[in-house]
């Protein structure tokens, strides 16, 4: 299918429910217009389609509003998430970041190179911290411009926050050489994430929060390291978010995670989002009776560099493997949508979700696929 053909077909499969209505009815076991879907951090690609840069998206509310409106109108992506990036809390605590005009931020100088520097860490008050306060201010702008939008937030898991404060090679070394101080750092990272969500919820009301924890992947740490260092603080983060917001948080972990799926079922999460390097059918077999599963169209190979037909086929494959997951399935990219993903591939993704995922019902396969 070429782009002109896609544009003609796209209009034949509109959504007939709002995203909130769809999710509520789907999780209640009712038939909905089509499978629920999302795209991780897609605004960074949509902003380029609007002719702006990521820097403008972050700094100019009018650009943010334009992207938000296009995400809803063209791609059916509703809800607004004022989330912390993987580096935000680290910078709030005192690290220095690099912000490319049209790229992803990165840490250029870690605040905690040595644990003797502990007193250099910034105390976290989201209402006065120079990194977090602008996000609160953006929330005020969102509420004013989009009063009916669902406003949510997201935080970063303990280990991924820690490497924005202390270099990753030192954090990994600490698991052997200085576990006591590492556990202290991980605990502080969770404390600060909870302070952020508490402030956000106080200002904008309750709503489920999301957790991203890319460094907890089995590609970086061992199962024993996960058990000792990550799981206890992740469990504390999950329980804290539930207490603050009144809702279970969702969880995404990048990379290979199969070794810890059984552990994740000990967390009281609302859903688990899996990277495309894992198989949805295998995840369904293990976690499908526990919580909704989310995934996992390859963001790089398919969404960024694939053809329209590649995207459509990948969506179909995901639906075949996971649409009948007992607790529900949400179609999504395996990880963040890359900067530079084309309009046609984003449209192909939405088109395939609406066409091949039509009349979705929780726990029911699509026999026509």
């Amino acid at each position: 299918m070429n782009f002109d053909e896609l544009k003609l077909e796209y209009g034949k499969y509109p959504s007939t429910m709002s995203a909130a209505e769809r999710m509520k009815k789907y999780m209640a076991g009712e038939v909905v217009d089509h499978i629920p879907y999302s795209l991780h951090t897609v605004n960074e690609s949509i902003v380029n389609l609007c002719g702006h840069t990521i820097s403008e998206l972050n700094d100019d509310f009018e650009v943010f509003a334009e992207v938000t409106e296009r995400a809803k109108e063209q791609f059916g992506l509703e809800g607004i998430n004022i989330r912390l990036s993987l580096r935000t809390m680290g910078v709030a605590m005192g690290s220095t970041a690099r912000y490319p005009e049209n790229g992803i931020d990165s840490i250029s100088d870690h605040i905690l190179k040595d644990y003797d520097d502990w007193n250099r860490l910034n105390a976290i008050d989201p209402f006065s911290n120079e990194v977090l306060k602008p996000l609160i201010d953006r929330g005020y702008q969102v509420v004013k411009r989009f009063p009916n939008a669902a406003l949510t937030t997201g935080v970063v898991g303990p280990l991924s926050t820690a490497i924005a404060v202390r270099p990753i090679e030192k954090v990994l070394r600490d698991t052997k050489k200085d576990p006591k101080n590492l556990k202290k750092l991980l605990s502080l990272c969770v404390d600060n994430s909870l302070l952020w969500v508490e402030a956000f919820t106080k200002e904008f009301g309750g709503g489920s929060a999301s957790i991203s924890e890319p460094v907890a992947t089995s590609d970086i740490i061992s199962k024993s390291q996960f058990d000792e260092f990550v799981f206890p603080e992740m469990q504390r983060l999950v329980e804290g978010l539930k207490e603050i917001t009144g809702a279970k948080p969702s969880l995404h972990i990048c990379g290979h995670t199969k070794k810890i799926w059984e552990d994740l079922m000990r967390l009281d999460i609302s859903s688990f989002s899996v990277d495309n390097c894992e198989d949805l059918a295998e995840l369904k077999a293990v976690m499908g009776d526990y919580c909704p599963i989310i995934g996992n169209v390859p963001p790089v190979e398919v969404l960024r560099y694939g053809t329209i037909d590649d995207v459509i086929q990948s969506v179909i494959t995901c639906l075949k493997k996971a649409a009948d997951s007992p607790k529900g399935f949400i179609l999504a990219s395996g990880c963040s949508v890359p900067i530079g993903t084309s309009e046609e591939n984003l449209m192909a993704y939405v088109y395939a979700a609406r066409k091949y995922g039509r009349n979705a019902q929780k726990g029911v396969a699509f026999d026509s696929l």
Side-chain angles (χ1 to χ4, degrees):
M1 182 183 293
N2 62 39
F3 194 20
D4 288 335
E5 292 170 333
L6 174 63
K7 286 186 282 189
L8 288 173
E9 288 293 309
Y10 193 77
K12 297 178 181 179
Y13 300 95
S15 295
T16 58
M17 298 178 174
S18 69
E21 179 188 14
R22 180 182 307 110
M23 184 63 72
K24 181 178 180 180
K25 290 181 178 294
Y26 177 78
M27 288 304 174
E30 298 180 37
V31 175
V32 295
D33 54 350
H34 56 71
I35 198 78
Y37 64 82
S38 65
L39 286 163
H40 295 300
T41 62
V42 72
N43 281 3
E44 282 79 356
S45 286
I46 295 178
V47 72
N48 289 171
L49 301 183
C50 295
H52 302 293
T53 65
I54 290 175
S55 179
E56 291 172 321
L57 175 68
N58 293 329
D59 298 337
D60 187 333
F61 181 73
E62 291 306 317
V63 172
F64 177 88
E66 180 183 346
V67 170
T68 298
E69 289 166 350
R70 184 160 181 179
K72 179 180 179 180
E73 292 169 6
Q74 185 173 7
F75 304 110
L77 299 169
E78 301 178 36
I80 301 175
N81 189 274
I82 308 294
R83 63 181 180 85
L84 304 188
S85 82
L86 298 179
R87 272 70 54 179
T88 303
M89 186 57 74
V91 179
M93 292 170 69
S95 292
T96 302
R98 183 184 299 110
Y99 298 96
E101 179 68 18
N102 204 35
I104 302 301
D105 59 320
S106 61
I107 298 296
S108 57
D109 187 37
H110 292 82
I111 185 65
L112 195 65
K113 298 182 183 69
D114 191 289
Y115 284 115
D116 289 339
D117 296 329
W118 191 269
N119 290 334
R120 295 180 60 205
L121 296 174
N122 293 333
I124 296 301
D125 177 357
F127 296 106
S128 61
N129 184 277
E130 63 180 17
V131 175
L132 299 177
K133 185 179 183 301
L135 298 178
I136 295 288
D137 292 340
R138 175 150 291 190
Y140 297 145
Q141 292 175 303
V142 167
V143 170
K144 185 176 180 180
R145 177 70 67 86
F146 305 102
N148 297 319
L151 183 60
T152 58
T153 191
V155 296
V156 178
L159 192 58
S160 298
T161 301
I163 70 159
V165 178
R166 182 166 169 79
I168 187 171
E169 64 274 10
K170 292 188 175 185
V171 167
L172 294 177
R173 186 187 65 192
D174 290 342
T175 64
K176 301 293 185 182
K177 300 294 186 179
D178 200 351
K180 182 177 179 180
N181 271 321
L182 176 56
K183 289 177 182 178
K184 181 181 177 183
L185 174 59
L186 294 170
S187 179
L188 178 63
C189 290
V190 169
D191 289 344
N192 287 342
S193 292
L194 292 175
L195 285 173
W196 161 253
V197 176
E198 186 174 34
F200 186 91
T201 302
K202 178 183 178 181
E203 294 304 296
F204 307 113
S208 62
S210 58
I211 304 171
S212 298
E213 178 56 295
V215 185
T217 172
S218 301
D219 300 316
I220 297 176
I221 62 171
S222 67
K223 174 69 165 59
S224 62
Q225 288 172 317
F226 178 86
D227 291 343
E228 181 177 357
F229 296 98
V230 178
F231 185 82
E233 290 301 328
M234 181 68 79
Q235 191 168 46
R236 194 165 70 87
L237 178 59
V238 168
E239 293 303 315
L241 293 175
K242 282 171 49 188
E243 182 176 349
I244 292 167
T245 67
K248 299 178 183 180
S250 61
L251 174 63
H252 174 78
I253 302 179
C254 297
H256 291 92
T257 51
K258 189 186 304 185
K259 293 178 181 178
I260 60 172
W261 288 349
E262 295 286 346
D263 298 282
L264 300 183
M265 290 191 289
R266 294 160 54 203
L267 298 172
D268 198 11
I269 53 177
S270 65
S271 58
F272 177 60
S273 167
V274 70
D275 205 325
N276 53 281
C277 60
E278 297 286 17
D279 187 88
L280 275 177
E282 293 181 17
L283 178 65
K284 178 181 69 175
V286 176
M287 293 187 69
D289 286 314
Y290 175 70
C291 70
I293 60 175
I294 303 175
N296 73 352
V297 173
V300 178
E301 304 96 307
V302 174
L303 284 174
R304 175 66 176 88
Y305 293 110
T307 65
I308 289 172
D309 289 331
D310 291 335
V311 175
I312 293 170
Q313 185 55 54
S314 185
V315 168
I316 292 171
T317 298
C318 290
L319 293 174
K320 284 181 177 179
K321 288 185 175 184
D324 60 346
S325 194
K327 292 292 185 178
F329 170 64
I330 300 167
L331 179 70
S333 48
C335 200
S336 297
V337 176
I339 297 168
T341 298
S342 66
E343 179 181 16
E344 52 262 42
N345 279 4
L346 294 175
M347 288 180 64
Y349 172 88
V350 174
Y351 160 78
R354 292 174 176 174
K355 177 178 179 179
Y356 298 102
R358 64 189 181 279
N359 298 325
Q361 186 175 17
K362 184 175 72 174
V364 179
F366 294 103
D367 294 333
S368 60
L369 296 179

